[in-house]
Amino acid sequence: MAEPAITAAGGALALGTVTLTGSILGLEYETLLVGMFGGLVALSMIEPTTRAKMVVSVITSALVAGYVGPIAHAGAMEYFPWASKSAEALRWFCAFAAGVSAQTIVPLALGWLKKRGGAQ
């Protein structure tokens, strides 16, 4: 059986959704796009799934990068002042790392919240 892949239409849908949602929420486009590419990298490492789940996963990665990336960048700049020499590269790295890790962290966080809330 052939592995499903994100088609051009699916990629365009994800990109359009990410940029539209990001503009509504006031997030940085660059951070969203880098997070989306991080989500695509992470997606290439997991088992095949449906196209809808792939698109939602990439969108989630981008949004997590949009919110977490700037916070991680600010924290890194605070704790590692020597990193100010490459502040822009560090900003991109924080967004990429958030996008890559979102596909693992979001399900873990949702599972933790479900357990904590008492749901079975």
Side-chain angles (χ1 to χ4, degrees), residues 62-82:
L63 291 175
V64 167
Y67 282 110
V68 175
I71 295 168
H73 178 250
M77 295 299 291
E78 180 71 25
Y79 291 105
F80 306 112
W82 52 266

Side-chain angles (χ1 to χ4, degrees), residues 5-34:
I6 290 188
T7 61
L13 174 67
L15 181 62
T17 304
V18 163
T19 54
L20 177 65
T21 305
S23 68
I24 292 169
L25 299 173
L27 300 173
E28 301 170 354
Y29 290 117
E30 298 88 7
T31 306
L32 292 168
L33 292 175
V34 171

